[in-house]
Amino acid sequence: MAYTMGASSPAGPIGSQYCVCKVELSVCGQNLLDRDVTSKSDPFCVLFTENNGKWYEIVSSKKITRPLVLVNEKPAGKGLITITAQELSDNRVITLSMAGRKLDKKDLFGKSDPFLEFYKPGDDGKWMLVHRTEVIKYTLDPVWKPFTVPLVSLCDGDLEKPIQVMCYDYDNDGGHDFIGEFQTSVVKMCEARDGVPLEVECINPKKQRKKKNYKNSGIIIIRSCKITRDYSFLDYILGGCQLMFTVGIDFTASNGNPRDPSSLHYINPMGTNEYLSAIWAVGQIIQDYDTDKMFPALGFGAQLPPDWKVSHEFAINFNPTNPFCSGVDGIAQAYSACLPHIRFYGPTNFSPIVNHVARFAAHATEQQSAMQYFILLIITDGVISDMDETRHAVVQASKLPMSIIIVGVGNADFAAMEFLDGDTRALRSHTGEEAARDIVQFVPFREFRNAPKETLAKAVLAELPQQVVQYFKHKNLLPSSCEPA
């Protein structure tokens, strides 16, 4: 089993002082315990990392999107697990579209349920499974979905390296029936291009030896083969992309008087509160991706001196022409300094600040380069008052190089925030327009009050790398100094 881990995983802070390479972990098992009565075991692996004496799960092989298996061939009293790591400096990927024709019938009362497995030779000379297709039910002429595999995983980046392809008929008990096999290479498979497929005979060696008139057990068709580069979050960052960070802070009356210890804005003797905790948790990571570390910090829902008009888009340093703060510490200092000089009011309007950042993100699109991506962190305690306007603003922002992180503080009902976070269904504006992509991540702070700050940062930034890559890929914007595949 092979699983690719990238340093773009937001499990912790990533900056110039941290490791920025990707590695692929290969896990092989031998002589594992047999835990099933009527069949072999179905083993899987879980990878943990240690932090402050506690172990946290990073990934389970059950959750890997690229379906892989750990084969248990010889159940015994004790098992041997072999783990190897390989640095992935090659970001090329191969996309294959495969089909079959007239495969052998293996089911007594039906046809076959064929799937393919791809193997590469390991350092020990044994074949190592690197990819398995989905199962196509009840057919001798399957068409598998196109799939993409890192070239390093498939052939260690060597286009001439032999690749073993096995075709099986799926059985529920795990005793899959062998249909046939063939050997190929990436160079050979790349002959399938420009609409001209490559056909390969699927051979069952036992049948070939026993039957003089044996021809094959069907045909495997490589319909298309394409090699491209799969640029990661790190590729864009190392290519010079800057994350432009803006903070939006809720100063509505529902937060309570900041001089009252029950207020969410009350700064305790330790010098913190939930607002500051959220600012530090997110900002201390984001600031590593911005060279000048100058961040706008905006407030909303407060009355401002001297005329005490309500504002939903004001600089917390009271300098509208230069709302920038120096680093996360500068944001925290400006926040603390402004509290005695404003009056908490309302309502809780998000759209002005969303539109404020979106204007800058829209300006960045004129450059036609992957050099700027905007992140808006909104910290709030309550229900959104201008939901229709906010939905429209988010849908429009989804077309721009921009993401929105919402941290809910306090114990309010955050159902509206969950609605904006389009993880379960696409967000639509009040006019019915669908968001181009999911750009909102909502996290309730109360779930992390007693957890390490790294845990909050991981949850808050979980979707950001993917959102950055998704936008630039959609716009066909490559990292600077990129090489052709």
Side-chain angles (χ1 to χ4, degrees), residues 144-160:
W144 291 283
K145 295 177 182 177
F147 59 91
T148 300
V149 181
L151 207 57
V152 172
S153 298
L154 184 64
C155 62
D156 297 325
D158 182 353
L159 306 189
E160 300 280 358

Side-chain angles (χ1 to χ4, degrees), residues 100-107 110-114 136-142 179 217-219:
R101 184 174 72 243
K102 295 182 179 180
L103 299 179
D104 283 355
K105 175 183 175 182
K106 291 294 183 179
D107 293 342
K111 294 184 178 181
S112 288
D113 307 313
I136 306 297
K137 291 282 192 176
Y138 316 120
T139 182
L140 302 181
D141 303 296
I179 294 177
S217 293
I219 301 295

Side-chain angles (χ1 to χ4, degrees), residues 191-204:
E191 294 177 9
R193 59 177 59 190
D194 301 326
V196 180
L198 174 67
E199 297 189 355
V200 185
E201 288 186 317
C202 189
I203 302 297
N204 186 323

Side-chain angles (χ1 to χ4, degrees), residues 82-157:
T82 304
I83 301 176
T84 58
Q86 177 181 12
E87 181 177 342
L88 300 184
S89 56
D90 188 341
N91 64 359
R92 291 177 297 171
V93 295
I94 182 169
T95 301
L96 291 166
S97 177
M98 311 281 290
R101 184 174 72 243
K102 295 182 179 180
L103 299 179
D104 283 355
K105 175 183 175 182
K106 291 294 183 179
D107 293 342
L108 183 61
F109 299 106
K111 294 184 178 181
S112 288
D113 307 313
F115 66 91
L116 299 176
E117 290 184 344
F118 291 75
Y119 293 79
K120 70 177 179 182
D123 294 336
D124 58 359
K126 296 180 180 179
W127 290 101
M128 183 170 64
L129 177 64
V130 294
H131 184 79
R132 170 184 278 180
T133 68
E134 83 276 21
V135 176
I136 306 297
K137 291 282 192 176
Y138 316 120
T139 182
L140 302 181
D141 303 296
V143 178
W144 291 283
K145 295 177 182 177
F147 59 91
T148 300
V149 181
L151 207 57
V152 172
S153 298
L154 184 64
C155 62
D156 297 325

Side-chain angles (χ1 to χ4, degrees), residues 249-269 272-273 275 302 335-345:
I249 301 174
D250 181 350
F251 291 110
T252 55
S254 56
N255 284 276
N257 188 322
R259 291 183 293 273
D260 188 330
S262 65
S263 169
L264 292 168
H265 281 288
Y266 174 75
I267 299 177
N268 62 36
T272 188
N273 59 28
Y275 279 88
Y335 162 75
S336 300
C338 84
L339 288 176
H341 302 289
I342 61 175
R343 295 175 182 172
F344 289 16
Y345 205 73

